[in-house]
Amino acid sequence: VATFASLAGKHVTEERVEHLLRDLLREEAGKQVTIDIIQRAVADHFDVRLADMTSRRRPASIAFPRQIAMYLSRTLTKGSLMEIGEAFGGRDHGTVIHACKKIVSQIESDASTRDAIGVIEHIVRQRMEQGQLRDSVARLLAGAYGFEQRRAITSSEAGWSPQVWLRLSELGVTGLRIAEDSGGFGGSAGDLLPVLQEFGKALLVEPFLASAVLGATAIAQAADAQNRQSLLPKVASGELV
C-alpha cells in the first residue's frame, strides 16, 4: 500500500486500501490449486464422471482415480485431511490417509501410476495458467471496456484501441498461439478458449482473431522462412497488427 501511494502520488484512503487488498487477495487465490481443479483433471484423464469423485461407488475403475485425486489434493493443496474428505463426498480423514498411503505405494512400484500422476499434474498446472490468464484479461477489460469506453473506442478513427492492444500484448495474449521459436508462447486451442470467452463477454473490437490467430497462422503456414522469422515475432509482441 505504501509503495502504491509513493508511486501513484495519491492519498491512500480506507476505501482505496480495501480495493487494493481485495485485488491482491483475488490474485493470490487464483494462484492456488483447488481440489475442484484436481477432481476435474483426474475425472477427465480416467474418463469417469466428475460425480464419481464424491459418490459412494467403489468399483476399481472409480475408486482408484478417486484415490489419486485425494493424494493430489493432499500434496498440491493446503487442504486439511478433514477438508479433503469433505470434498470427496463427506469421507472421514482415515479414508484420505488410506488413499494417500496406497497411491504412495503404487508410485514406488508401478510406472503407469507414476506416469498418470505426472500427466495429471501437468493438466492441473496448465489449467491453473489458463485460469490466471483468463482472470488477468477479465480484469483488464473490466477496467478498459466499460460502456462509455467501448463506445469511444468504436467511434474512434481506428475503430479499436491501440492502448488496449498494447496491454493485451503485455499480458502475452497476442503471442499465445505463436510458436516459442517465433517469439510466442506456443499455446494450444485450450489456452486460447478462456481468453476468447472473456473477449466475447466484453464485445472486444480489437483485431485479435484477424491478427494474432488467423494472420499468424497464415504467416506460419504460407510464408517463407525469412518472412516467418521477420514477421511472427512482431505479431507476437503486438507490434504488427
Side-chain angles (χ1 to χ4, degrees):
V1 173
T3 301
F4 172 83
S6 175
L7 292 174
K10 295 179 178 179
H11 175 64
V12 182
T13 64
E14 182 177 340
E15 181 181 2
R16 189 175 297 278
V17 169
E18 183 180 346
H19 177 75
L20 286 170
L21 292 178
R22 185 168 60 246
D23 284 350
L24 288 171
L25 290 172
R26 187 187 301 118
E27 183 175 345
E28 185 61 30
K31 295 178 182 178
Q32 296 176 4
V33 177
T34 65
I35 295 174
D36 179 68
I37 289 175
I38 291 170
Q39 289 176 332
R40 291 177 184 276
V42 171
D44 289 346
H45 179 77
F46 286 101
D47 195 24
V48 298
R49 299 178 307 160
L50 180 61
D52 289 329
M53 293 290 106
T54 57
S55 75
R56 292 292 169 178
R57 300 177 64 198
R58 301 184 65 179
S61 60
I62 293 174
F64 183 61
R66 188 162 55 221
Q67 289 171 334
I68 285 183
M70 289 183 186
Y71 165 79
L72 289 173
S73 296
R74 184 62 174 160
T75 57
L76 298 181
T77 78
K78 298 179 179 179
S80 66
L81 292 171
M82 292 185 62
E83 289 168 338
I84 293 170
E86 186 63 31
F88 284 85
R91 288 171 165 80
D92 61 39
H93 71 283
T95 301
V96 179
I97 292 174
H98 171 74
C100 291
K101 288 183 176 180
K102 179 176 180 179
I103 297 306
V104 167
S105 176
Q106 287 285 106
I107 290 172
E108 293 174 350
S109 62
D110 181 44
S112 64
T113 299
R114 291 195 298 272
D115 291 343
I117 288 176
V119 170
I120 294 166
E121 287 178 337
H122 174 73
I123 293 171
V124 169
R125 287 194 301 270
Q126 187 178 52
R127 292 185 178 179
M128 288 294 296
E129 291 170 357
Q130 291 170 353
Q132 289 167 14
L133 179 59
R134 180 199 61 226
D135 292 345
S136 295
V137 171
R139 287 195 295 271
L140 164 60
L141 297 180
Y145 248 78
F147 178 78
E148 292 298 332
Q149 292 163 304
R150 187 180 184 280
R151 185 164 66 175
I153 289 171
T154 56
S155 300
S156 67
E157 183 176 352
W160 57 278
S161 170
Q163 289 74 29
V164 171
W165 186 259
L166 174 62
R167 294 177 67 184
L168 289 172
S169 70
E170 290 171 346
L171 290 177
V173 173
T174 51
L176 192 59
R177 289 286 283 151
I178 296 174
E180 291 185 39
D181 59 7
S182 295
F185 293 92
S188 66
D191 295 321
L192 182 63
L193 181 59
V195 172
L196 293 179
Q197 289 173 334
E198 294 304 322
F199 287 175
K201 292 177 185 177
L203 300 177
L204 190 88
V205 295
E206 280 63 40
F208 178 77
L209 285 175
S211 175
V213 180
L214 300 178
T217 300
I219 294 170
Q221 294 181 354
D224 58 34
Q226 183 177 355
N227 279 316
R228 287 198 302 272
Q229 185 177 5
S230 171
L231 297 176
L232 286 175
K234 294 180 180 179
V235 176
S237 68
E239 178 185 350
L240 178 64
V241 181

